[in-house]
């Protein structure tokens, strides 16, 4: 896995003497390439469904661009050239045929009486991603809204049902607003082929996306109050209060376990039985996948204080919480989100 703090210049130093950029221009080239990292990471994340694979793909893209910068003739924009490289990197990575999914994409809901925690390998799961790594700053509110919607868990999961090239076409055309001719040039195909692929991709997404959560960034006053009540109910482990906040067919997922629960009684029943150790937890707000979320710390029975347990991504629909997606592989997620390794015990003074 690539270290994001490693510069492209350092990674490509070995290639500089073999046709790459060198001298005083190296820093300028590196800065120009790095300026595209966030949007490229968002693109690769939508393509791959994995936070870490997306970062690796972008690192590979920037290294390839650095080493071949002297061959960039400016017939297209630097941005288009980078997207061409990133697309080829992602298509190569997708040749293995692995398709990321959510628990709700693999099985039906499990009744509480049959609940069992059965993990599946890491490469099965769609992964969460901090907004700051994939959503570049844009001034146009409409453009920002499209970007946020296009990294929602449900949307990225739906993308995984598309063949890789259809996936690229749909993202480039619908999310990034490229012209059909630009996409055709990037993929070295015809405009007619691009339009046909887009039509098929739209039809597949219509079948797969299902229920769409409400827009939640920036949070409106009602949503903010709902989340404040959620934090109070969860930290107090008040199941009656939590039930009042949940949509009647709300779901709770817990990757890497394939178990998922639906309905308020099964969710709260799980929390008070198998999940009882989470009583007294603390939640810290995060932003993930264009949605509100929380870092979940549960009480440490041995050392006091609170230890990482999950990153929660929350879906809100019709004024209620419709999804609690709890990603439990904290050794991967908490560093990715820049979260502390533990929280101190709460003092009587608060």
């Amino acid at each position: 896995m690539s270290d994001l703090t490693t510069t492209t210049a350092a990674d490509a130093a070995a290639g500089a003497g073999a046709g790459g950029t060198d001298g005083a221009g190296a820093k300028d080239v590196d800065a120009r390439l790095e300026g595209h990292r966030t949007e490229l990471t968002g693109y690769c994340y939508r393509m791959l469904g994995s936070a870490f694979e997306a970062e690796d793909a972008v690192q590979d893209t920037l290294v390839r661009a650095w080493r071949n910068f002297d061959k960039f003739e400016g017939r297209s924009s630097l941005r288009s050239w980078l997207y061409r490289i990133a697309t080829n990197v992602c298509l190569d990575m997708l040749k293995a045929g692995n398709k990321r999914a959510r628990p709700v994409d693999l099985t039906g809901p499990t009744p509480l009486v049959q609940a069992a925690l059965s993990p599946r390998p890491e490469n099965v799961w769609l992964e969460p991603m901090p907004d700051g790594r994939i959503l570049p700053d844009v001034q146009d509110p409409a453009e920002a809204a499209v970007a946020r919607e296009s990294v929602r868990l449900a949307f990225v999961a739906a993308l995984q049902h598309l063949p890789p090239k259809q996936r690229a076409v749909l993202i480039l055309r619908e999310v990034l607003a490229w012209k059909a001719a630009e996409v055709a040039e990037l993929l070295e195909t015809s405009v007619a082929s691009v339009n046909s692929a887009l039509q098929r991709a739209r039809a597949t997404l219509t079948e797969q996306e299902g229920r769409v959560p409400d827009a939640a960034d920036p949070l409106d006053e009602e949503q903010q109050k709902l989340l404040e009540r959620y934090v109070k109910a969860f930290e107090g482990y008040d199941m009656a209060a939590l039930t009042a906040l949940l949509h009647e067919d709300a779901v709770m997922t817990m990757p890497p376990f394939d178990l998922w629960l639906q309905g308020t009684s099964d969710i709260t029943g799980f929390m008070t039985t198998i999940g009882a150790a989470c009583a007294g937890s603390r939640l810290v707000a995060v932003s993930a996948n264009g949605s509100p979320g929380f870092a979940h710390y549960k009480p440490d029975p041995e050392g006091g204080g609170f230890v990482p347990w999950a990153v929660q991504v929350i879906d809100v629909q019709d004024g209620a919480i419709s999804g609690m997606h709890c990603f439990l592989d904290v050794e991967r997620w908490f560093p990715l989100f820049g979260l502390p390794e533990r929280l101190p015990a709460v003092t009587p003074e608060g």
Side-chain angles (χ1 to χ4, degrees):
M1 178 169 55
S2 301
D3 182 349
L4 289 184
T5 63
T6 304
T7 65
T8 52
D11 281 338
T21 304
D22 57 11
K27 289 184 178 180
D28 176 63
V29 171
D30 197 45
R32 291 176 65 189
L33 297 178
E34 283 291 325
H36 294 276
R37 183 183 285 275
T38 300
E39 65 169 315
L40 288 172
T41 304
Y43 175 63
C44 293
Y45 173 70
R46 296 178 185 99
M47 286 288 291
L48 302 170
S50 164
F52 297 105
E53 288 182 0
E55 291 179 342
D56 285 345
V58 172
Q59 192 70 9
D60 191 2
T61 296
L62 297 182
V63 169
R64 292 188 192 190
W66 211 100
R67 287 175 173 162
N68 293 282
F69 197 80
D70 62 325
K71 300 175 184 176
F72 173 57
E73 299 174 351
R75 288 179 296 195
S76 63
S77 69
L78 176 61
R79 181 172 182 258
S80 297
W81 185 58
L82 289 172
Y83 270 95
R84 180 191 295 271
I85 299 172
T87 299
N88 289 330
V89 169
C90 289
L91 292 178
D92 285 343
M93 294 174 71
L94 290 167
K95 284 180 180 177
N98 184 51
K99 184 171 68 175
R100 300 276 176 164
R102 304 166 299 169
V104 297
D105 301 318
L106 301 179
T107 66
T110 304
L112 179 60
V113 294
Q114 298 174 13
L117 299 179
S118 303
R120 295 202 190 190
E122 170 273 322
N123 64 1
V124 169
W125 301 116
L126 182 69
E127 298 177 347
M129 192 62 149
D131 285 355
R133 292 196 186 269
I134 51 175
L135 296 178
D137 293 330
V138 295
Q139 300 300 318
D140 184 349
E143 185 180 345
V146 169
R148 288 193 300 270
E149 293 302 310
S150 70
V151 295
R152 293 289 187 95
L153 290 173
F155 183 80
V156 179
L159 287 174
Q160 306 306 301
H161 291 271
L162 301 176
K165 285 196 175 181
Q166 279 189 30
R167 205 178 302 178
V169 167
L170 186 131
I171 297 167
L172 290 166
R173 291 282 285 120
E174 300 280 85
V175 177
L176 301 177
W178 284 37
K179 296 177 181 178
E182 294 172 324
V183 178
E185 182 181 359
L186 183 147
L187 295 176
E188 298 181 344
T189 188
S190 67
V191 169
S193 178
V194 166
N195 290 335
S196 176
L198 179 60
Q199 186 176 11
R200 295 195 303 274
R202 284 171 173 167
T204 301
L205 249 63
T206 299
E207 296 174 0
Q208 296 295 334
E209 263 197 281
R211 197 170 60 186
V212 179
D214 295 343
D217 186 16
L219 295 170
D220 62 30
E221 184 178 358
E222 182 180 347
Q223 291 168 335
Q224 186 64 55
K225 289 180 178 178
L226 173 68
L227 292 171
E228 290 171 357
R229 293 196 296 270
Y230 172 76
V231 170
K232 183 177 180 180
F234 195 100
E235 292 187 341
Y237 236 56
D238 184 338
M239 295 300 114
L242 186 61
T243 296
L245 303 176
L246 295 177
H247 200 281
E248 61 181 6
D249 58 352
V251 301
M252 182 168 72
T253 67
M254 292 164 283
F257 302 116
D258 56 13
L259 165 76
W260 64 280
L261 302 160
Q262 185 170 40
T264 55
S265 60
D266 277 359
I267 291 173
T268 57
F270 179 90
M271 291 176 64
T272 55
T273 54
I274 299 174
C278 290
S281 292
R282 289 186 63 190
L283 300 181
V284 176
V286 298
S287 294
N289 293 86
S291 305
F294 298 97
H296 173 187
Y297 291 83
K298 73 173 186 176
D300 182 355
E302 298 179 359
F306 302 85
V307 293
W309 183 247
V311 168
Q312 299 182 3
V313 180
I314 303 297
D315 291 335
V316 175
Q317 186 184 32
D318 300 330
I321 290 172
S322 58
M324 301 161 59
H325 305 289
C326 307
F327 295 88
L328 304 182
D329 192 353
V330 295
E331 291 185 359
R332 304 176 77 224
W333 307 132
F334 274 55
L336 181 71
F337 280 80
L339 294 162
E341 295 181 358
R342 63 183 298 115
L343 296 181
V346 178
T347 65
E349 293 78 17

